[in-house]
Amino acid sequence: MLRNIISQLSSHRLQTTRCRPMILVANNKLVWRLPNYLAIGRNISTTGNYWNNQKNSLNHHLNKLLRHKILTSGPITVAEYMKIVLTNHNAGYYVTKQPIGAQGDFITSPEISQMFGEIISVWIANEWACQGKPAHVQVVELGPGRGTLADDVMRTLIQLPHLKEPGAVSLHLVEVSRTFRELQLKKLTHCNEDILGSVLNSDNLSTQPYPTRYGPSVTWYYNLKDVPRQPMTFYILNEFLDALPIHVFTKTPHGYREVLIGCQGQEFAFFTANGETPGSKMFVQAEETRDCVEISPESGVVMEELSSRIESSGGAALVIDYGHLGDGGDTFRSFRDHARHDPLVDPGTADLTADVDFGYLVTRCLPFSVSVHGPISQRVFLESLGLGVRLQALLSSTNNKELGDNLVSSYKTLTESMGYRFKVLAVTPADRPVGSVPGFITRPS
């Protein structure tokens, strides 16, 4: 079945080249260098006085807010700090910045090559076929960034028999950032000023679908729980969970103590709680032995919600992110301009992230009647679904050497540097047993 789906993609035109990243390794971390990459979105220079003044203003607002909170009620958890810095309504990083791309702070797999989104589509189409080929499919993406992955998935799915029928596919995007919603709208639809204003300003996003340029409708939501619980819904979480707030705990002679953030003079600094906190009592397991433990309760809630939906309505969820199997720790960090940055300096001007604990995600699915597949390396997942076949089809469709070189470079990025670092996990109905789902049949590498 996979070969049939891949063969149907071979006639797709080669999309405009996106980027050809050079990846360096510094302090065992990936550092991106992205030459000749065109940013999408508002025409704001990142080097001019406008951005410098804007950055200083936002930075001052968050600094004032954080200092007031700390000085009023004491040091805050890392989770509280992340939530304020990343999603504050007025000055949060994801609310005010366009962080993806050369003019941002990081790059994601969909921005590297169209092949990534096409392979995700192949996996969705195969699961749809194995679950009975129902007449309607919902595709839900959490944290869709600039809309590139959603665009590739829609472009691919509507080329397949049955799914090209009007109304067969609908797209649903969970996005809290006004800036990102604008980028997604411009990417996915033939938007006009009326639609733009409605999507950006409406308090009732979930009631208003809009046609995409491929035909299927797209609807925006602020929260996963607002997305309709419909049969045969496929959820995509690509580099979404790594940005959710984490609680950090350090091992001491007196047991695990939570790491807090407080003020030291005019600067923010890490402190260790003197005694137990609600977080250390609730989240650290009795059998824990690591020196540093990072727990994301919000990630656990997301996995529980997804498992509940799949248990009752079918479909599947696909989680792709950098992370570990429950043996990692001390990964809380920050990136600005594609380089490491002190997470406590200039809050709101840099991305905050932490490795995803895939072992923890699996445990949150166990109470539900679902099957959990993986985690497996992104390299194995993509290769086993035909990424190499798709590469050859695209190479044969162009005589342009530069385009061909970019395709090969993108392929290597997805399967080598990112291929080993990133992991993939899937949740399916229980009648799709472990070992039966393409992409996860090969043992992890």
Side-chain angles (χ1 to χ4, degrees):
M1 184 176 296
L2 286 176
R3 288 188 177 184
N4 290 337
I5 297 173
I6 288 288
S7 67
Q8 292 164 26
L9 300 186
S10 62
S11 61
H12 287 193
R13 68 183 180 87
L14 178 62
Q15 300 294 295
T16 304
T17 300
R18 294 172 185 178
C19 63
R20 186 180 179 181
M22 296 185 297
I23 300 181
L24 309 176
V25 178
N27 298 324
N28 200 33
K29 303 294 182 183
L30 296 181
V31 179
W32 304 90
R33 296 291 182 265
L34 306 172
N36 303 322
Y37 192 91
L38 297 179
I40 300 174
R42 295 174 181 169
N43 184 23
I44 298 178
S45 169
T46 57
T47 58
N49 290 331
Y50 177 91
W51 170 246
N52 289 331
N53 292 337
Q54 182 83 341
K55 182 179 71 172
N56 291 336
S57 174
L58 297 175
N59 175 241
H60 174 74
H61 178 87
L62 278 180
N63 265 291
K64 184 177 179 181
L65 176 64
L66 289 164
R67 286 184 63 83
H68 179 267
K69 184 174 183 64
I70 291 170
L71 295 175
T72 301
S73 57
I76 60 177
T77 65
V78 175
E80 289 179 279
Y81 180 82
M82 289 183 70
K83 189 166 187 176
I84 293 172
V85 170
L86 295 179
T87 62
N88 175 265
H89 182 70
N90 294 314
Y93 175 78
Y94 287 124
V95 175
T96 61
K97 284 202 67 177
Q98 298 177 17
I100 303 176
Q103 296 183 8
D105 300 314
F106 58 87
I107 190 73
T108 61
S109 293
E111 306 292 337
I112 291 172
S113 173
Q114 70 184 75
M115 295 184 290
F116 182 81
E118 289 169 347
I119 294 300
I120 299 302
S121 304
V122 166
W123 190 84
I124 290 174
N126 183 76
E127 283 305 300
W128 163 77
C130 289
Q131 296 184 41
K133 295 184 179 180
H136 180 70
V137 173
Q138 276 196 161
V139 176
V140 178
E141 186 177 2
L142 282 71
R146 304 200 304 192
T148 304
L149 177 55
D151 185 76
D152 285 335
V153 169
M154 288 298 101
R155 172 179 55 82
T156 304
L157 288 180
I158 65 165
Q159 299 299 317
L160 303 177
H162 304 295
L163 293 181
K164 65 174 62 175
E165 299 298 324
V169 180
S170 62
L171 177 64
H172 306 261
L173 303 180
V174 179
E175 181 60 72
V176 299
S177 167
R178 184 184 188 277
T179 299
F180 274 134
R181 286 202 303 274
E182 180 178 353
L183 295 175
Q184 294 153 14
L185 186 71
K186 291 179 177 179
K187 180 77 172 179
L188 293 163
T189 73
H190 299 293
C191 70
N192 55 43
E193 290 302 317
D194 290 338
I195 294 177
L196 189 63
S198 177
V199 171
L200 297 183
N201 301 317
S202 174
D203 292 327
N204 300 300
L205 295 178
S206 60
T207 66
Q208 188 66 45
Y210 299 93
T212 67
R213 54 197 183 100
Y214 300 110
S217 65
V218 57
T219 309
W220 278 265
Y221 308 83
Y222 291 113
N223 193 292
L224 172 60
K225 292 187 177 181
D226 297 329
V227 178
R229 280 182 171 245
Q230 296 291 338
M232 203 52 55
T233 299
F234 292 92
Y235 304 90
I236 305 172
L237 294 78
N238 181 60
E239 292 196 56
F240 173 73
L241 297 181
D242 64 85
L244 295 188
I246 60 167
H247 289 263
V248 182
F249 308 94
T250 185
K251 192 176 185 180
T252 76
H254 308 289
Y256 284 94
R257 295 293 182 260
E258 186 155 11
V259 176
L260 305 174
I261 295 174
C263 295
Q264 193 170 55
Q266 296 301 310
E267 299 179 346
F268 298 110
F270 291 110
F271 295 87
T272 301
N274 292 326
E276 290 185 317
T277 61
S280 63
K281 293 178 182 179
M282 184 178 302
F283 302 129
V284 181
Q285 302 301 306
E287 63 273 16
E288 186 60 70
T289 60
R290 287 173 287 173
D291 290 335
C292 180
V293 179
E294 296 167 332
I295 300 293
S296 173
E298 288 192 27
S299 295
V301 171
V302 170
M303 296 307 295
E304 291 170 356
E305 175 70 14
L306 294 175
S307 297
S308 172
R309 287 168 172 252
I310 293 167
E311 178 184 56
S312 62
S313 305
L318 201 60
V319 179
I320 306 170
D321 227 313
Y322 43 83
H324 55 83
L325 303 180
D327 53 357
D330 196 17
T331 68
F332 176 57
R333 57 199 184 277
S334 178
F335 287 92
R336 188 167 73 183
D337 299 328
H338 304 279
R340 289 291 295 270
H341 176 76
D342 188 329
L344 301 187
V345 173
D346 297 332
T349 66
D351 185 33
L352 299 177
T353 184
D355 283 11
V356 173
D357 185 342
F358 280 90
Y360 174 71
L361 300 186
V362 171
T363 65
R364 307 321 299 170
C365 302
L366 294 180
F368 301 88
S369 181
V370 295
S371 292
V372 180
H373 310 265
I376 196 170
S377 72
Q378 177 174 292
R379 174 188 177 90
V380 170
F381 178 78
L382 295 177
E383 289 281 23
S384 65
L385 289 173
L387 183 67
V389 175
R390 182 58 179 150
L391 171 66
Q392 294 304 316
L394 290 175
L395 288 174
S396 66
S397 71
T398 179
N399 294 320
N400 186 303
K401 185 179 184 303
E402 183 179 358
L403 286 178
D405 289 344
N406 283 343
L407 280 169
V408 173
S409 176
S410 298
Y411 169 84
K412 290 181 178 179
T413 299
L414 293 175
T415 59
E416 294 179 7
S417 50
M418 296 181 74
Y420 294 111
R421 181 82 173 88
F422 282 67
K423 293 178 173 56
V424 186
L425 178 147
V427 182
T428 67
D431 60 5
R432 298 285 288 148
V434 174
S436 68
V437 174
F440 298 91
I441 296 175
T442 306
R443 296 185 64 184
S445 63

